[in-house]
Structures are given as C-alpha cells and as structure tokens.
Amino acid sequence: MSVVEQYARAHILTDADLPDEDGGAIPVVLRYDPDHDPRSVCVGLPGRGRSPVAREWRFPRDLLERGLRAPTGSGEVRVWPCGRVQAVVEFHSPQGCSVVQFETKALIRFLRRTYAAAAEPVPH
C-alpha cells in the first residue's frame, strides 16, 4: 500500500492564527499512510510567525468523512459542513484552538484516494 499525500489551500478562521499574507489562505498537507495507521489521516498546518514549526494533527479518517455530512468531533478535532462547498475543521490544543476552512471537494478527493490506496470499498 502506498502513502497518499495531497496539498490543499485552506483558510484559517481563528484571529490569533491568521497569517500576514494571502488573506488567510494557507497551504495544508493532507496525508494518509495505510502501513502506519490505516484508520487515521493527518493534516499538516504550516508554522507561522514566531513558530515556524509545522503542526500535525492525526485523527480518525471516518471522523473527517462523517464531518462532511454533519457536525462531529472526537477529542481535539471537530469537523462540520459549512454550506454546500466548504467544511470546517477545528483543532484544539493546550495552546488554543485553530479553525480551518477547506473546500469540500478537496477533502472528498483526498478521502477517495485514501480508500483506493487501502484497497477498500468507498462507503456510500
């Protein structure tokens, strides 16, 4: 099985996390490694400002999928649809909360690629 890595543009909605350039749009890495953990996906946010270190969040793949249809959450991560074409992912840590808005199409494309990589049928 192979690793799936997809780059996407997203918008940070949390005031404290807004980057200075590009109106809040940030590059995000979506990653899935079925050999490491076939039930989880990883979202990598770039570091900004005084903290250039990227932050990675690992959470259940099905949480991302369910969150595209209805609000859901588990522990540090919450996902919900935002209108017809966007979805919001909220990450909680001791340092605060980051709220990131994605185009739903990018997340669906990523999820389809993860199921293909794991040779699993795509749920309906």
Side-chain angles (χ1 to χ4, degrees):
M1 292 187 266
S2 61
V3 173
V4 173
E5 189 168 276
Q6 178 177 313
Y7 293 86
R9 302 282 299 164
H11 289 274
I12 292 266
L13 303 178
T14 314
D15 289 345
D17 292 333
L18 285 173
D20 296 332
E21 71 283 343
D22 204 12
I26 59 168
V28 175
V29 178
L30 306 171
R31 186 175 300 116
Y32 172 72
D33 184 348
D35 293 328
H36 176 71
D37 186 353
R39 293 191 171 133
S40 294
V41 294
C42 184
V43 174
L45 302 176
R48 293 174 304 285
R50 295 183 192 138
S51 176
V53 176
R55 297 181 72 178
E56 280 197 347
W57 299 86
R58 183 170 298 280
F59 57 95
R61 177 174 58 172
D62 70 326
L63 187 143
L64 179 60
E65 185 177 346
R66 287 189 325 250
L68 297 179
R69 293 186 303 271
T72 189
S74 174
E76 301 173 334
V77 180
R78 292 176 178 77
V79 183
W80 65 89
C82 182
R84 294 178 141 178
V85 297
Q86 297 176 331
V88 173
V89 182
E90 185 177 277
F91 302 102
H92 293 266
S93 73
Q95 292 76 33
C97 175
S98 292
V99 181
V100 184
Q101 188 175 44
F102 291 88
E103 284 194 21
T104 303
K105 284 182 184 181
L107 297 177
I108 290 171
R109 185 171 40 252
F110 171 69
L111 285 169
R112 285 185 179 151
R113 291 180 66 210
T114 69
Y115 284 106
E120 296 178 19
V122 176
H124 296 284

